[in-house]
Amino acid sequence: MGKIIVFAAPSGSGKSTIINKLLEEYSSLEFSISATSRAPRGEERHNVEYYFLTPEEFATKVAKGEFVEWEEVYKGSCYGTLASEVERIWAKDGIVVFDIDVKGAQNIKAKYGDDALTLFIMPPSVEELRSRLVSRATDSIEQIEKRIAKAEEEISYSSLFDKVVVNDNLNVALLECRAIINDLIAK
Ligand code: 5GP
């Protein structure tokens, strides 16, 4: 079995920026593209950020047992990791990078144990998170409120993670992530 690094964080915590930067820096890291039943947002492309499926297509894959884990992260929106993604990346000797919700992260940890390292990116505060989501301007006010409520719930799971990195200053957070990844690679 290969190695896995799982990132989880409330949306707006800067997780995507951190993951994208690390993926650029480390050729051994490879992003596991999740499947989702939600519609693409902004510039998102099929097969790049997500495999965008209809709710029916998603349900069929669940029934066929094609997911390593899946969750209804937001009401009516399912997200899941396909077993084929993990196999594809391990076949190339890559370290699988997951960007999944807190429950999915715990499911991966339970399934892969010491082969998986779970890392929680913590926003400096809920107020800061709200202003980041507002300035991102991709969600309606109603969706932002939904994400804030979700964020508070997600933060309550942070103590279950192997590592927690606070993203107050991006460069400091990146330094901490690099140290964690270097340790994982050396293991
Ligand atoms: P967004 O809609 O902002 O792209 O993602 C919403 C949430 O779904 C994020 O917390 C993200 O980490 C989570 N997510 C994305 N892919 C997966 C997945 O494959 N499994 C699980 N459990 N959660 C996922």
Side-chain angles (χ1 to χ4, degrees), residues 22 24-25 28 32-33 41 44 46 54 61 65 67 70 90 99 104 109 116 121 132 139-140 156 160 180-181 184:
L22 295 169
E24 270 172 32
E25 289 176 22
S28 53
S32 163
I33 303 168
R41 248 191 346 236
E44 289 177 335
H46 180 59
T54 64
K61 289 192 186 295
F67 287 105
W70 69 274
W90 279 352
D99 172 356
K109 185 73 189 177
I121 307 285
R132 286 182 193 175
D139 291 317
S140 66
S156 72
L160 300 174
I180 291 167
I181 291 168
L184 180 72

Side-chain angles (χ1 to χ4, degrees), residues 74-94:
Y74 296 105
K75 205 166 181 314
S77 297
C78 294
Y79 299 78
T81 305
L82 293 161
S84 56
E85 272 300 288
V86 179
E87 284 152 21
R88 176 178 73 79
I89 296 167
W90 279 352
K92 296 197 284 186
D93 275 338

Side-chain angles (χ1 to χ4, degrees), residues 24-172:
E24 270 172 32
E25 289 176 22
Y26 289 87
S27 58
S28 53
L29 297 186
E30 190 152 343
F31 186 68
S32 163
I33 303 168
S34 294
T36 181
S37 66
R38 79 150 164 81
R41 248 191 346 236
E43 304 277 284
E44 289 177 335
R45 292 143 299 169
H46 180 59
N47 294 352
V48 179
E49 283 82 5
Y50 285 108
Y51 299 119
F52 291 101
L53 305 178
T54 64
E56 294 72 26
E57 287 168 338
F58 197 98
T60 303
K61 289 192 186 295
V62 170
K64 286 188 179 164
E66 291 182 27
F67 287 105
V68 175
E69 63 76 36
W70 69 274
E71 293 285 333
E72 186 176 3
V73 178
Y74 296 105
K75 205 166 181 314
S77 297
C78 294
Y79 299 78
T81 305
L82 293 161
S84 56
E85 272 300 288
V86 179
E87 284 152 21
R88 176 178 73 79
I89 296 167
W90 279 352
K92 296 197 284 186
D93 275 338
I95 297 177
V96 184
V97 175
F98 284 121
D99 172 356
I100 63 181
D101 86 312
V102 288
K103 291 181 190 144
Q106 300 317 310
N107 289 338
I108 293 289
K109 185 73 189 177
K111 190 168 176 116
Y112 295 102
D114 285 345
D115 294 317
L117 185 141
T118 55
L119 201 165
F120 189 87
I121 307 285
M122 181 77 86
S125 68
V126 171
E127 292 69 39
E128 174 63 23
L129 191 67
R130 187 189 304 273
S131 74
R132 286 182 193 175
L133 287 172
V134 169
S135 59
R136 189 167 79 175
T138 49
D139 291 317
S140 66
I141 295 296
E142 194 197 358
Q143 280 171 320
I144 288 174
E145 288 311 319
K146 229 164 89 173
R147 285 177 188 278
I148 295 288
K150 185 82 184 174
E152 288 173 333
E153 187 200 334
E154 286 173 319
I155 288 169
S156 72
Y157 279 80
S158 60
S159 61
L160 300 174
F161 281 70
D162 294 324
K163 304 278 180 186
V164 176
V165 169
V166 178
N167 184 20
D168 192 2
N169 174 298
L170 179 63
N171 287 325
V172 174

